[in-house]
Amino acid sequence: MSPQSVLWLLPLAVALSVVYKTLKLRDIKPGNFIKEVATVFGSIVLFTVIAAGVLLFLSWLMTE
Amino acid sequence: MAGVNKENNILFLLVVGLAGWIVPGGGQFILNKKKQAVILFTTILITFCLGLYVGSIGVVDPVGASYWYLAQIITSPFVAILGHHTAGGGYAVYGKPEEIGQLYTSMAGLLNLLCIINAVYLARLRQIGLKEG
């Protein structure tokens, strides 16, 4: 497993964001829809990075 | 009379659910939400096909990876055709491609499950005369 393989998360996060927002929004207008999808996508990536950082810090604490 | 109505209501919910299973976004299409149906169909199909592209059709394996297959089959009953061809183990795939492929194809199925539940929920809301919100 290479660190780059984590990038496979990105297309999956896009698919998840698109489906979630399609089901949530009552009226789909392109500009608003893209903005909403980008927000969900950004949130997923951000929290994944935060979770990875916390786990990395914990593993560093335990192995030091 | 009320019994017939109740049966029709249940039948309609079943039709919406089945349409959503047979073709991703089909439930929304029946409910006249065509824009949503097209977006859902395209997204779920691309996710599933990306999984097949990465891992080959070998990732759909009803014998060797039955738990993954349970999620994959929710994408559409047509996945069973792939499963029928790969059941003999002639398309074995291992390692990272298998992992990523299974993840993508299974996620497509789970996303479709979400769409089916949403479509049936919307159909039920329409039946009892409530607005979506």
Side-chain angles (χ1 to χ4, degrees):
Chain A
M1 185 172 172
S2 65
Q4 286 81 10
S5 64
V6 178
L7 294 176
W8 280 107
L9 158 83
L10 300 179
L12 211 54
V14 171
L16 193 70
S17 312
V18 169
V19 169
Y20 177 72
K21 273 298 157 188
T22 306
L23 297 179
K24 270 280 176 189
L25 291 176
R26 199 186 296 178
D27 190 27
I28 295 178
K29 293 190 179 83
N32 185 46
F33 180 68
I34 290 170
K35 201 179 83 182
E36 295 273 359
V37 167
T39 308
V40 176
F41 173 74
S43 308
I44 293 172
V45 172
L46 182 71
F47 282 102
T48 307
V49 169
I50 291 172
V54 169
L55 288 173
L56 188 67
F57 178 68
L58 284 176
S59 67
W60 177 79
L61 275 181
M62 282 188 257
T63 51
E64 273 301 298
Chain B
M1 201 65 185
V4 174
N5 267 348
K6 198 177 175 186
E7 276 175 19
N8 281 344
N9 287 347
I10 293 170
L11 194 67
F12 180 63
L13 296 180
L14 272 175
V15 167
V16 168
L18 266 177
W21 181 42
I22 293 169
V23 180
Q28 279 76 8
F29 189 83
I30 285 182
L31 296 172
N32 214 24
K33 287 173 155 277
K34 296 201 168 58
K35 212 186 280 182
Q36 277 96 333
V38 169
I39 296 172
L40 293 173
F41 175 77
T42 311
T43 310
I44 291 171
L45 193 70
I46 288 175
T47 308
F48 190 83
C49 290
L50 201 58
L52 292 186
Y53 173 73
V54 174
S56 90
I57 62 169
V59 295
V60 181
D61 184 2
V63 179
S66 51
Y67 292 117
W68 291 101
Y69 184 70
L70 284 177
Q72 289 161 342
I73 194 90
I74 305 172
T75 310
S76 170
F78 295 112
V79 173
I81 298 171
L82 287 181
H84 176 73
H85 285 290
T86 57
Y91 298 91
V93 54
Y94 305 101
K96 201 73 194 164
E98 182 191 35
E99 196 179 303
I100 300 287
Q102 280 176 337
L103 198 63
Y104 270 69
T105 48
S106 300
M107 190 58 89
L110 295 178
L111 286 174
N112 198 35
L113 179 64
L114 203 64
C115 298
I116 293 168
I117 291 170
N118 180 265
V120 172
Y121 174 70
L122 290 181
R124 181 69 188 140
L125 281 187
R126 282 190 190 181
Q127 280 179 350
I128 57 174
L130 286 178
K131 278 192 171 182
E132 304 158 20

